[in-house]
Structures are given as C-alpha cells and as structure tokens.
C-alpha cells in the first residue's frame, strides 16, 4: 500500500513538473531522433544491436540519434555503440524517481532539445520513466508499443499513458523471448523483415583493464533480485568441484553492490586459482572476460545474455522468473545455454509451450530448492 501511495504522489509531482517544463513549447529540430531505453543491463544487451539497424535504415539514416539510457550500462553503450549514437542522455533511475530537481532538469533538457521523433521500444513500459519522458518531449512523432499484458500494469497504461503516444505499434500476445520481442518492434517500425538472428558484440578493440588469465571459468553469484540469488554455500560447493576436478582458474565477477558475497566465496575457497574481480572491472571488460572464458556459471543476470552474445557456454541457475521471455534461450539463438530450475519447472519443461504462462510474469519458486549436485551435473557435461 505504501509503494502504491508513493507512486501516486510521484505521478502527481511529475504532472506538475511537466506543466512547468512545457509552458513554452521548444522549437523542433528536423532529423532529430530520441531513443529511450531505461531498463536493466540484460535488457540492453538484447536491444542494442537494433540501434545500428535504425541508424542505417532508409527511414532514419539521415537522423541524429540521441539515446536516453540507464546510467548502469553507460560504459557498455559508450564502448560498443558510439558509432551509431550521436549523443547520450544518462538517467539515474533512483534519482529520477525520487529527486524532484533531478527529474526537472532531465525533463527540461529533453523538452528543450526539440526532438522531431521519440521512440520507446520497451515492452514493459513504465509510466514514471519512459512514458513520462515521451509525454514531456515536444516531438510530433511519439512511437511506442501496446506493451506487456501484465494485468498489474496494463490497465494503468490504458488509463494514464497510452495517449502520450501518437503511434502504438502492436505487440504479439504470444510469450516471445525478449530478443524476438525487440525484433518484432523494429520490424513493425521499419516495415520490413530484419535478417538479424541473435545479439552479438564486436570485441576486437576492447582493452582489458586488468591482467589476462589462463583457462578459467567465471562465477557470478549475485543478482539484483533476492529471489534470483542462489545460496552462497551452493556456489562454494560448485567452485570446490571445479578446483578439485579440473585445472581451471575461477574468476568471480559482479557489480559493486555484490563485492561482499564475492569476497565471502573467495575467502572460503582460499585458493591461488581464485580471483575476485567483483566491482573492479567495467562492463566492457566483463564482455571480453566472458568471451574468453571456458564457461560461465551464474544466477539469472545480464551475464548470461552477454555470454550468449559472445558464444560462451553458460549454466544458469534460475527460479523461472519471466519464463519464456528471458529464459531459457531458444536453441536457434544460442545452443550452449544450460538452465537448472526448481523441481516444479524441471518436471514441466518437456511441456514447455503449454506450461510457460504459469511463470510468464513472475515466479515465487524457491531457487534454493536447486541442489549443487544438479548444477555440477550440467557443468561436468561442458568441462569434459
């Protein structure tokens, strides 16, 4: 109830800010396109290759493209996508939500830029983020999608923010894998079939900040949702198996908020073959490290999407959240993706097409019902 009340207050504050920002209509500059993408790192990995396609399309090839993005993946975008983006506007989601002055400055900057077109391809549209930016822009063309069928969000968008757009491109009601969802949007936008078949990175010019390591496996023990974090002792058991049964080194990675769990694992293993890089490398370096790894072992995080993009086999421990949308990977996109689920999902996976809707929007299954032995079984198949 508190969160609902807080969201209502923030929406009312936004409407007040919007009214002040839009008192004077900005002068529109022709050929000026704003792309909005404010979700997480993994979402960006599954979206980013379409920026190049837009930049080279007949419709937008003469446009100056500004990307309004989540600051959490700034290094990733500026390293790999600057060739297709003329300018970046970075947003700290926490500050944009709760800091009135920060929100005002961002919205005023976007309004005054005078974008001719604004496009938000996000399937899970957010009223207080992407939708509000679309409304405050003075663009003549505002394009989004009909968006997710999640009943908790759909009625709010229908009531409050669908009218912010001049065009809402149709979204299939099927439970599409997120890469295909993005492909659907841009095929509808550009009115043509696209030949792209999977996410990918061009890494040849990436310079590692740290030293290189010989023959290693990467472990990612953190995640930004507690429901998706496997027990730390289970990760330790898996790491001990790798150290005892193979000659591979282990790199532990994660964000700056996951240094404590990474340090705990490193301390418990107490091995010269274990290197803790959590919080100490950039996202662009992480891409290169994952590309050069023999195997990635991870909770369901952005790391598995990076692994698929650079063709590194991975074992993902997942409670089945957003089943069908973000996991498991379709075989035709990446065939070296191995998932370990709680027993309730493992038992239905052969009837996946009929059962996936049970966990389409969320899963409350306990990830710690997964045993280290199950994960080790998948690892053994790969390390052979």
């Amino acid at each position: 109830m508190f969160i609902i009340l807080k969201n209502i207050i923030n929406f009312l504050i936004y409407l007040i800010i919007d009214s002040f920002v839009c008192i004077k209509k900005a002068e529109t500059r022709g050929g000026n396109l704003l792309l909005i993408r404010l979700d997480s790192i993994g979402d960006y990995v599954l979206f980013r290759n379409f920026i190049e396609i837009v930049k080279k399309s007949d419709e937008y090839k003469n446009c100056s493209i500004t990307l309004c993005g989540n600051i959490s993946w700034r290094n990733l975008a500026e390293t790999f996508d600057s060739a297709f983006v003329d300018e970046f506007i970075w947003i700290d989601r926490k500050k944009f939500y709760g800091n009135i002055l920060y929100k005002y400055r961002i919205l005023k900057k976007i309004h005054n830029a005078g974008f001719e077109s604004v496009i938000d391809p996000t399937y899970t549209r957010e009223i207080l983020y992407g939708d509000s930016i679309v409304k405050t822009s003075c663009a003549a063309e505002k394009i989004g999608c009909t968006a997710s069928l999640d009943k908790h969000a759909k009625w709010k968008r229908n009531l409050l923010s669908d009218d912010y757009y001049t065009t809402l491109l149709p979204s299939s009601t099927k439970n599409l894998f997120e890469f295909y969802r993005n492909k659907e949007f841009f095929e509808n936008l550009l009115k043509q079939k696209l030949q792209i078949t999977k996410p990918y990175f061009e890494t040849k010019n990436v310079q590692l900040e740290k030293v290189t390591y010989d023959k290693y496996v990467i472990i990612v023990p953190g995640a930004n949702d507690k429901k998706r974090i496997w027990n730390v002792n289970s990760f330790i058991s898996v790491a001990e198996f790798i150290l005892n049964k193979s000659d591979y080194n282990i790199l532990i990675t994660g964000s700056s908020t996951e240094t404590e769990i990474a340090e705990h694992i490193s301390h418990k293993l107490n091995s010269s073959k274990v290197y803790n890089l959590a919080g100490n490398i950039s996202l662009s370096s992480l891409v290169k490290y994952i590309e050069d790894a023999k195997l990635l072992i991870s909770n369901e995080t952005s790391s598995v999407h990076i692994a698929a993009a650079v063709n590194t086999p991975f074992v993902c421990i997942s409670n089945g959240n957003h089943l069908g949308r973000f996991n498991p990977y379709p075989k035709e996109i990446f065939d070296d993706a191995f998932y370990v689920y709680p027993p309730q999902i493992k038992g239905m996976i052969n009837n996946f097409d009929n059962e996936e809707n049970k966990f389409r929007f969320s899963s409350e299954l306990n990830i710690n019902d997964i045993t280290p032995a199950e994960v080790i079984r998948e690892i053994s198949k790969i390390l052979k």
Side-chain angles (χ1 to χ4, degrees):
M1 182 56 122
F2 173 75
I3 294 176
I4 294 173
L5 181 60
K6 192 174 181 180
N7 285 341
I8 292 172
I9 292 171
N10 271 282
F11 181 68
L12 294 175
I13 290 172
Y14 159 69
L15 291 178
I16 294 170
I17 293 174
D18 177 69
S19 65
F20 276 103
V21 169
C22 297
I23 288 175
K24 182 179 179 182
K25 185 173 175 62
E27 182 178 343
T28 302
R29 293 185 288 136
N32 195 13
L33 168 65
L34 177 68
L35 272 177
I36 302 170
R37 197 77 202 211
L38 297 177
D39 37 15
S40 300
I41 298 168
D43 301 276
Y44 185 69
V45 172
L46 294 167
F47 152 79
R48 54 170 293 274
N49 297 115
F50 295 97
I51 301 173
E52 178 181 359
I53 291 172
V54 171
K55 184 68 173 179
K56 294 178 178 179
S57 68
D58 291 339
E59 183 76 17
Y60 297 105
K61 63 184 177 183
N62 296 319
C63 285
S64 171
I65 295 181
T66 297
L67 177 62
C68 180
N70 186 334
I71 200 168
S72 68
W73 39 261
R74 177 174 183 169
N75 171 261
L76 198 66
E78 291 184 348
T79 300
F80 292 103
D81 300 315
S82 290
F84 313 111
V85 177
D86 299 283
E87 185 179 351
F88 294 95
I89 297 175
W90 296 113
I91 290 184
D92 182 318
R93 284 177 60 94
K94 186 175 180 179
K95 290 170 67 176
F96 191 79
Y97 179 79
N99 187 316
I100 295 174
L101 185 58
Y102 180 83
K103 187 191 294 273
Y104 172 80
R105 287 173 177 167
I106 292 289
L107 291 175
K108 187 174 179 63
K109 178 178 181 179
I110 290 172
H111 177 78
N112 290 345
F115 293 104
E116 182 179 34
S117 301
V118 175
I119 299 173
D120 183 354
T122 311
Y123 180 58
T124 307
R125 280 178 26 221
E126 298 174 288
I127 296 171
L128 292 173
Y129 293 94
D131 285 358
S132 64
I133 291 172
V134 168
K135 182 179 188 301
T136 303
S137 75
C138 61
E141 180 181 61
K142 300 174 181 178
I143 301 174
C145 65
T146 52
S148 168
L149 295 176
D150 184 346
K151 62 182 179 181
H152 298 294
K154 185 173 177 60
W155 72 267
K156 300 172 190 174
R157 291 192 298 261
N158 291 343
L159 177 66
L160 298 173
S161 63
D162 280 357
D163 288 342
Y164 297 172
Y165 294 82
T166 58
T167 302
L168 287 175
L169 299 174
S171 302
S172 170
T173 58
K174 294 180 180 179
N175 190 13
L176 297 180
F177 187 71
E178 188 73 356
F179 176 79
Y180 290 140
R181 183 68 67 184
N182 288 318
K183 187 175 182 181
E184 173 190 66
F185 179 91
F186 286 100
E187 286 184 338
N188 287 334
L189 175 71
L190 301 174
K191 298 180 177 62
Q192 64 182 78
K193 289 292 183 182
L194 302 179
Q195 299 306 309
I196 185 171
T197 57
K198 70 183 298 290
Y200 60 88
F201 283 96
E202 297 289 349
T203 62
K204 59 183 178 181
N205 295 322
V206 175
Q207 299 296 318
L208 292 175
E209 303 147 28
K210 305 289 181 181
V211 298
T212 57
Y213 299 90
D214 294 327
K215 201 175 180 182
Y216 59 85
V217 170
I218 292 179
I219 291 180
V220 185
N224 60 15
D225 184 344
K226 290 182 180 179
K227 293 186 298 184
R228 290 191 286 164
I229 299 178
W230 199 38
N231 187 282
V232 64
N233 291 322
S234 295
F235 272 112
I236 291 171
S237 296
V238 165
E240 287 174 339
F241 168 81
I242 294 169
L243 293 173
N244 292 332
K245 299 296 184 180
S246 77
D247 57 350
Y248 286 99
N249 295 309
I250 293 177
L251 307 189
I252 305 172
T253 68
S255 70
S256 58
T257 63
E258 296 159 358
T259 54
E260 186 175 341
I261 186 173
E263 181 58 36
H264 177 74
I265 294 173
S266 178
H267 176 73
K268 285 291 186 181
L269 293 173
N270 191 26
S271 170
S272 60
K273 295 173 66 178
V274 176
Y275 302 89
N276 180 10
L277 303 182
N280 290 316
I281 58 172
S282 66
L283 282 173
S284 57
S285 285
L286 178 63
V287 171
K288 188 62 178 172
Y289 277 121
I290 291 176
E291 182 179 49
D292 294 339
K294 172 67 174 180
L295 169 67
L296 173 82
I297 305 163
S298 177
N299 294 315
E300 193 188 339
T301 69
S302 59
S303 296
V304 300
H305 299 296
I306 293 172
V310 296
N311 299 313
T312 294
F314 68 79
V315 174
C316 177
I317 303 105
S318 170
N319 82 328
N321 197 56
H322 287 126
L323 191 69
R325 180 178 175 186
F326 291 103
N327 68 94
Y329 256 78
K331 292 294 185 182
E332 69 274 12
I333 293 182
F334 187 58
D335 197 26
D336 282 328
F338 301 88
Y339 286 84
V340 187
Y341 294 108
Q344 297 92 325
I345 294 180
K346 186 170 64 173
M348 62 168 237
I349 206 69
N350 292 330
N351 197 26
F352 180 75
D353 290 341
N354 294 327
E355 299 290 344
E356 62 177 319
N357 282 334
K358 288 183 179 179
F359 306 101
R360 178 173 182 174
F361 301 112
S362 66
S363 169
E364 300 300 324
L365 297 180
N366 187 353
I367 193 170
N368 291 310
D369 287 342
I370 298 169
T371 66
E374 293 174 281
V375 176
I376 287 170
R377 191 178 303 120
E378 298 302 320
I379 293 170
S380 299
K381 296 175 185 177
I382 300 169
L383 293 187
K384 281 181 179 180

